[in-house]
Each structure stands twice: as C-alpha cells, then as structure tokens.
C-alpha cells in the first residue's frame, strides 16, 4: 500500500515513516513544516508541503500518489498553548482533520490511523487506564484529540473506511540521534536542558498521592510507538470495516523522581532536583493498560526507560556538543 503520513516531518511522524518503509510499505509525507523538519524525510520519500486545511492539495496528493492508507499525525500538541489559543487548536486539529477526511473519503483510501493521546482521559482515577475508562479531557488539546476520534469513527461508519485511533502515552527516545525530538516541552528534554545549563532539574510537586509523591506516567519509546502504527496499518488492511481505539503504552508507571534519577545516572550529571510548585492540571498517575493493543495488534513495547533516555541523550548531545558527557 501507499501511505500518506501527515506530520511525517515531525518527531513521531519521521519514526512512523521509517517503520512503515522497513515493513515494505510505500510512504508519502504531507507536512506544513510549521514544526516539522524537511531533513527528517528520507530523500526517496516524496514530501508535499501543505496544510491539512487545504482540501484541494490533499485531494491532488492522494490522487497523484495513488494513496490507499493515511496515518494522520499533523496537529498542534502543546497543552498549555491550547489553553491560550483554543480556537487555533480546534481549527488545526479538528477542522484540519475534517477537511482531510473529506478528501480521504472521496478517494480510494481504505485505512486511516489517527494519532490520539492519553490526554483524552484527563485525570483518570484508576490504577491502569483502559480504553473503557471515561474520557474527560482537561484541555482544549485533549478535547481536539477526542473530537478527532469521533470524526474518524463517524466517517468510518458512514463510508466503510477502516479506522484506528492510537492513544499515545508519554513518548520519549529516538531511533537515531538525528531523529530525536527537538522540542523542549516534556520531562526528558526539560531535564536535559536544566542539567546542561548547570541548573537543577525541577520536580513539579512532590505531594501527590503516589509512592514517592511525584507524578507517575507511562513512558513509551518512539520506536515502539512507530511499530504500533505498522501493526495497526496491517490490522486495518487485514480486516476491512475495522474500528479500533487503542492505548499505546507499556503498562508500567514511572515517577518523575525515578525518571530524573535515571537521567542523571545516564548523563553523568550529578545534580539533585529541586521541588517546585505543582503544574496546574497535572494528574497524579496516568498508566495504560496495554492489553487491548496486544490482543488486537499482537504488538507490545520492547524498549525500556533506559533505552528511551539513552537514545534521547544521544540526540541532545548531537545538537548540544558542549553538553558534558557521562
Ligand atoms: C511528565 C511529568 C510533569 C517537566 C503531556 C501532555 C500529553 C502528551 C504528552 C502530547 C508531569 C513532570 C515535567 C519538568 C516535571 N502530549 N515534569 N519537571 O504532562 O504527562 O503529558 O505530554 O502530545 O497530552 O499532557 O508530560 O513530559 O510534560 O510531564 O516534574 O521539568 O513530568 O509535571 O508530571 P505530561 P510531561
């Protein structure tokens, strides 16, 4: 099949492109390069620069490349920014998806994989989050992801398009240093930044009802996440009319303090963290049940937190050669 990967020049998208190609699929990248980087797209993969709000260009791209499957990752993804600019997030993430689905359902595309997020669950009050845990997003970002799932499912039901919404938990790591996340918006790069500035990493609150008082998350290696997309693509190809909603995590909770300890050990920076105020809106614990993805896709994460930090650090030191090495 030929897959259109929207957002394929982004951090996660570039990994998905490589995983699909390694699995023998053809790929075309569609990206507006607002945060994507053209160099992340392999030289023999066509790159179409455009917005998901441009229905004409989308229709032309689907036809020109005889696309039969779509993996849609192009979206805005900063929770805080979504609170400040909700209309922008709804336009990019919901209207952009609606326009894309219009083009997709008018073309001979049979499979659609949506990049969703654990943010749809909001503040889940359960030990392990299953796909049946009620969705109660806490930010416009999470709302747009949940609305996106609804759009995709409704379009699938109406047209027979096979669909999968993959709810990513906390993504980290890289397949190779040049594919590492260049954004500094999440725990791992934020700790790298502090350490390499010779400052103390920050723990946003240590009075949560968790074993060490810091927030617990389910970290997933981007290479495993990319492989989950390949498994979902295969499942949709094998069963037309499928409609999947799947958590993509490891089912293992790791606290902020444990992560920072692991990061300081791996990077060789011996700098104890400081505790600051809680970050508003942070849930105490968000850990996936990964059972459904295992059952439906035969997929399971292979990489641990050490692999994530080690590979992310290789990317960081490539871009910050002065960073002292451990
Ligand atoms: C993890 C934990 C912080 C930095 C967000 C989105 C989610 C998804 C992934 C997108 C939290 C703590 C962080 C620091 C800290 N987004 N922290 N010190 O908030 O779980 O998830 O990113 O696509 O939708 O909500 O991820 O990496 O920001 O934070 O203590 O310097 O680390 O408070 O508990 P989060 P995160």
């Amino acid at each position: 099949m030929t897959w259109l990967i929207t957002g394929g020049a982004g951090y996660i998208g570039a990994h998905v492109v490589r995983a699909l190609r390694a699995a023998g699929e053809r790929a075309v990248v569609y990206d507006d390069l607002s945060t994507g980087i053209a160099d992340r797209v392999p030289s023999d993969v066509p790159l179409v620069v455009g917005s998901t709000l441009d229905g004409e260009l989308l229709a032309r791209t689907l036809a020109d490349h005889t696309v039969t499957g779509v993996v849609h990752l192009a979206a805005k993804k900063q929770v805080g920014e979504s609170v400040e600019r909700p209309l922008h997030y709804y336009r990019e993430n919901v209207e952009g998806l609606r326009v894309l689905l219009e083009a997709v359902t008018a073309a001979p595309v049979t499979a659609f994989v949506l990049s969703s997020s654990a943010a749809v669950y909001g503040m889940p009050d359960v030990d392990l989050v299953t796909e049946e845990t009620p969705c109660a997003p806490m930010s416009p970002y999470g709302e747009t992801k949940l609305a996106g799932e609804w759009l995709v499912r409704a379009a699938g039901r109406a047209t027979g398009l096979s669909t999968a919404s993959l709810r990513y938990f906390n993504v980290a790591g890289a397949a190779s240093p040049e594919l590492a996340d260049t954004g500094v918006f999440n725990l791992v790069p934020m700790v790298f930044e502090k350490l390499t500035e010779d400052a103390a990493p920050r723990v946003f609150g240590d009075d949560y009802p968790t074993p060490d008082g810091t927030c617990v998350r389910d970290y997933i290696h981007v290479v495993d996440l990319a492989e989950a997309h390949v498994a979902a693509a295969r499942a949709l190809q094998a069963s037309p009319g499928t409609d999947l909603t799947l958590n993509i995590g490891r089912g293992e909770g790791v606290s902020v303090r444990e992560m920072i300890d692991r990061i300081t050990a791996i990077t060789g920076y011996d700098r104890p963290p400081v505790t600051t105020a809680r970050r508003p809106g942070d849930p105490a614990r968000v850990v996936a049940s990964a059972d459904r993805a295992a059952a439906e896709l035969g997929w399971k994460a292979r990489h641990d937190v050490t692999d994530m930090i080690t590979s992310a650090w290789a990317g960081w030191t490539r871009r910050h050669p002065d960073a002292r090495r451990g």
Side-chain angles (χ1 to χ4, degrees):
M1 280 177 74
T2 299
W3 293 85
L4 184 75
I5 297 101
T6 74
Y11 158 58
I12 297 173
H15 285 88
V16 171
V17 168
R18 280 161 181 77
L20 281 168
R21 287 190 7 121
E25 306 285 338
R26 281 185 300 277
V28 178
V29 168
Y30 191 94
D31 199 300
D32 69 2
L33 300 182
S34 57
T35 54
I37 302 171
D39 280 351
R40 285 205 185 111
V41 181
S43 54
D44 55 347
V45 169
L47 165 63
V48 179
V49 179
S51 162
T52 50
L53 292 159
D54 186 344
E56 259 175 52
L57 181 60
L58 282 166
R60 208 173 335 126
T61 304
L62 295 174
D64 285 352
H65 296 276
T66 54
V67 170
T68 45
V70 173
V71 182
H72 177 52
L73 299 109
K76 298 281 143 202
K77 64 166 186 180
Q78 288 177 46
V79 173
E81 184 185 52
S82 79
V83 177
E84 322 257 295
R85 303 184 66 197
L87 303 183
H88 181 59
Y89 271 65
Y90 271 86
R91 181 174 152 83
E92 293 286 328
N93 294 5
V94 180
E95 176 61 6
L97 171 57
R98 193 197 62 77
V99 171
L100 171 62
L101 284 168
E102 223 157 34
V104 162
T105 53
V109 173
T110 58
F112 192 97
V113 180
L114 175 71
S115 159
S116 186
S117 169
V120 299
Y121 296 114
M123 296 254 191
D125 189 20
V126 289
D127 206 35
L128 289 181
V129 178
T130 74
E131 293 80 355
E132 305 303 327
T133 300
C135 290
M138 297 272 299
S139 67
Y141 166 72
E143 291 165 9
T144 65
K145 286 290 164 181
L146 185 56
E149 292 188 4
W150 295 337
L151 278 184
V152 166
R153 195 171 308 128
R157 285 200 184 129
T159 65
L161 181 70
S162 290
T163 64
S165 293
L166 305 184
R167 294 176 173 167
Y168 311 165
F169 281 64
N170 289 64
V171 187
S176 57
E178 63 281 6
L179 292 183
D181 191 2
T182 53
V184 187
F185 302 114
N186 296 107
L187 176 64
V188 172
M190 286 169 77
V191 172
F192 288 167
E193 183 170 73
K194 286 291 175 198
L195 291 175
T196 53
E197 282 171 352
D198 266 323
R202 292 165 303 166
V203 174
F204 296 153
D206 63 2
D207 57 350
Y208 285 93
T210 58
D212 69 13
T214 69
C215 291
V216 171
R217 295 288 182 272
D218 187 343
Y219 295 89
I220 172 95
H221 198 299
V222 68
V223 166
D224 284 324
L225 174 65
E227 275 160 16
H229 289 74
V230 174
R234 288 278 148 81
L236 297 186
Q237 272 171 261
S239 318
T242 305
D243 163 25
L244 296 170
T245 302
L246 301 171
N247 287 342
I248 306 296
R250 286 187 314 132
E252 185 189 312
V254 181
S255 76
V256 169
R257 199 172 283 287
E258 288 167 336
M259 280 300 277
I260 295 178
D261 285 350
R262 209 76 74 82
I263 293 170
T264 50
I266 288 169
T267 61
Y269 280 82
D270 191 15
R271 182 95 196 206
V274 291
T275 300
T276 65
R278 286 184 179 197
R279 194 173 64 175
D282 273 339
R285 177 184 165 92
V286 188
V287 179
S289 160
D291 292 350
R292 191 189 279 182
E296 295 281 353
L297 305 181
W299 167 91
K300 202 172 173 326
R302 293 182 293 127
H303 296 287
D304 62 12
V305 159
T306 299
D307 293 341
M308 296 176 219
I309 297 169
T310 307
S311 60
W313 181 241
W316 185 272
T317 52
R318 178 176 179 271
R319 280 177 290 113
H320 302 87
D322 292 343
R324 186 154 43 90
R325 267 151 238 200

